[in-house]
Amino acid sequence: MGQIGPSHRIPGVVYQSQERLQRYVDVGVLTDETLVSAFRRAVGRFSTRTALSEINWQCTYAELDALTDRAASAFLRLGLVPLDRVLFQLPNSKELVIAFLGCLKAGLIPICTLAAHRQAEIGYLGRHAGARAHIVSAAEKRFDFIAFAEEMRQSIPSLDLTIAIKGDANLLRDGVHSFERLIEAEDGAEARRRVDAISHDPYQVALFQLSGGTTDIPKIIPRFHNEYLYTLRTFMEFYGFDETIVAYSGLQWIHNSSMLCCWGPAIFFGGEAVVGGSLEADDVGPLFDRRKPNWLLAPPVLLFRLKESGWIDRLDLSKVKAFATGGGVQQLKALLNGAETVPMFGMTEGLIAQGHPSDPIEAKYHTVGRPISPHDELKIFIPGTEVEAADGRGR
């Protein structure tokens, strides 16, 4: 192991004490790996496997590695420097993943926000984190994200770059950079050299993840390279997944649940992440039929639509490990003609609980699952009291 603890401390970020970090190093939770080194390891082992796919598009690990090198190089060429923060305000798309990995490679820190956020949320989070760039979609017809990003540039003092994905030349304004054109302008070999020169700290913030909490304004939680990677690895071990995982999420991909429990484990460990931007049955049904995901985070509304349209009855679900859902496991299992369905629960601050196919029916139907990490620290209290439940069940 190298140095334990970050080499540089970002103002406003609370880092763990040296003693606490040492304890987790000693039990093997924290290592010297970063998300970048983990992705590169997956590329080295599975270069020809499909890493990312849409219904009519797919790319291998080698191709995704090259694309994200060029994205990282483009970000650096724009004047961004390691530890700069970048606002992500994107719908589910392959560009979200490419830009996210590009930021990690460049040493930049994504700030995870939702496409539905507006001035109150983006303004607060952007100012609070000192964001320098804002990535939006130019393809949305119901809202002008380019104009909105320009407003944000005027109200967030640190913000001076707008990057648009899927930006038709006629839609882009002055000062707005097309993500696709930035990538096209980069030479692959030069981009790799530039990226290889970036130093990555396993104890440093990798991303600021979104947390709704109980306040009117969402919060962002710092998640660190090696601890986030630990959770990704623990998720894979909990279910016994390997590179054959084909993961789909109908939830927001930028949110913690999708990132830690779906496309993140797939991308960082050699599997396939299946992107679907629509929740309409006539879009999702053919996507499932072609890409055949075997692990799914599917919101109930999507499953009801698939059932009503007849897609559930036409799809082969025999290879699906499980559908994970935040509630209504028993009802959804019936809706899915008996396909395995498990509960899930998570907190951006760290705890991830999942049901396992081997769990008793009572646990899958009436609980939120169990912690996937043996090192989670939690207490369960009898409801309405501060008395710890002796048997751990809280009742």
Side-chain angles (χ1 to χ4, degrees):
M1 291 289 294
Q3 172 183 312
I4 296 176
S7 57
H8 172 80
R9 293 177 180 264
I10 300 172
V13 173
V14 176
Y15 294 87
Q16 296 288 345
S17 69
Q18 197 74 14
E19 293 76 19
R20 191 175 180 85
L21 290 176
Q22 184 67 60
R23 177 150 53 93
Y24 284 117
V25 168
D26 291 343
V27 295
V29 168
L30 299 180
T31 69
D32 279 340
E33 275 196 296
T34 67
L35 292 170
V36 176
S37 64
F39 177 69
R40 281 276 168 78
R41 181 160 45 88
V43 172
R45 293 186 61 199
F46 307 108
S47 63
T48 61
R49 287 183 62 87
T50 297
L52 187 62
S53 66
E54 293 180 331
I55 188 165
N56 293 315
W57 176 92
Q58 63 191 74
C59 72
T60 66
Y61 272 87
E63 291 166 338
L64 185 59
D65 191 33
L67 277 172
T68 52
D69 277 350
R70 288 158 65 190
S73 181
F75 293 151
L76 296 169
R77 195 184 294 277
L78 286 175
L80 296 170
V81 298
L83 300 188
D84 276 347
R85 273 72 80 183
V86 179
L87 282 162
F88 271 67
Q89 193 180 13
L90 294 173
N92 294 353
S93 60
K94 62 180 183 292
E95 291 84 4
L96 185 157
V97 176
I98 294 167
F100 185 87
L101 292 175
C103 278
L104 294 183
K105 285 185 173 184
L108 308 174
I109 303 176
I111 303 169
C112 300
T113 77
L114 302 181
H117 284 161
R118 294 298 181 258
Q119 188 165 3
E121 298 91 354
I122 299 298
Y124 171 74
L125 295 176
R127 283 188 289 272
H128 184 59
R132 283 208 56 210
H134 188 185
I135 306 181
V136 297
S137 173
E140 298 301 306
K141 295 181 172 60
R142 291 173 294 181
F143 185 76
D144 189 340
F145 281 98
I146 304 297
F148 175 68
E150 290 181 307
E151 292 177 17
M152 291 297 94
R153 248 191 0 250
Q154 300 304 313
S155 66
I156 301 174
S158 59
L159 193 60
D160 52 24
L161 289 170
T162 300
I163 300 168
I165 71 166
K166 300 181 179 178
D168 184 287
N170 297 322
L171 298 176
L172 297 181
R173 280 81 153 173
D174 290 339
V176 179
H177 302 273
S178 163
F179 180 61
E180 290 79 9
R181 291 185 179 183
L182 289 171
I183 288 178
E184 290 171 3
E186 292 294 320
D187 174 77
E190 184 179 345
R192 173 54 68 98
R193 287 192 293 271
R194 184 174 286 113
V195 169
D196 284 346
I198 301 296
S199 176
H200 299 97
D201 185 343
Y203 294 92
Q204 189 52 270
V205 179
L207 65 152
F208 286 107
Q209 184 53 265
L210 185 67
S211 173
T214 56
T215 60
D216 291 334
I217 298 295
K219 303 181 289 294
I220 46 175
I221 307 298
R223 300 301 301 264
F224 304 87
H225 275 275
N226 54 8
E227 64 90 7
Y228 214 61
L229 181 59
Y230 167 74
T231 306
L232 292 167
R233 185 171 63 247
T234 302
F235 169 87
M236 293 289 283
E237 292 171 352
F238 183 80
Y239 285 108
F241 279 129
D242 57 19
E243 68 276 7
T244 60
I245 183 175
V246 181
Y248 165 87
S249 174
L251 307 177
Q252 293 278 345
W253 273 40
I254 200 66
H255 211 280
N256 203 50
S257 55
S258 288
M259 199 174 290
L260 272 181
C261 302
C262 192
W263 71 263
I267 287 290
F268 288 100
F269 291 94
E272 176 182 346
V274 179
V275 186
S278 166
L279 291 182
E280 296 302 319
D282 287 342
D283 295 321
V284 179
L287 176 69
F288 285 7
D289 190 44
R290 180 168 297 182
R291 301 313 312 167
K292 296 178 172 48
N294 55 27
W295 169 257
L296 303 96
L297 303 191
V301 64
L302 172 59
L303 299 180
F304 280 113
R305 289 173 182 172
L306 289 172
K307 186 68 171 182
E308 290 170 358
S309 65
W311 271 106
I312 289 295
D313 299 321
R314 297 202 299 271
L315 293 169
D316 178 7
L317 303 180
S318 62
K319 301 295 176 59
V320 172
K321 180 88 168 184
F323 289 80
T325 179
V329 170
Q330 186 172 1
Q331 294 81 1
L332 292 178
K333 185 178 178 67
L335 185 78
L336 293 164
N337 300 331
E340 186 61 70
T341 310
V342 295
M344 62 178 291
F345 171 81
M347 299 169 61
T348 305
E349 291 76 4
L351 174 67
I352 297 292
Q354 297 269 334
H356 191 277
S358 66
D359 288 342
I361 288 292
E362 181 185 35
K364 286 188 279 191
Y365 286 178
H366 303 298
T367 77
V368 296
R370 49 192 165 106
I372 65 172
S373 168
H375 298 285
D376 280 331
E377 300 174 11
L378 63 138
K379 293 182 179 181
I380 300 176
F381 296 91
I382 297 173
T385 76
E386 294 188 8
V387 178
E388 190 172 353
D391 64 359
R393 294 186 301 170
R395 58 178 179 171

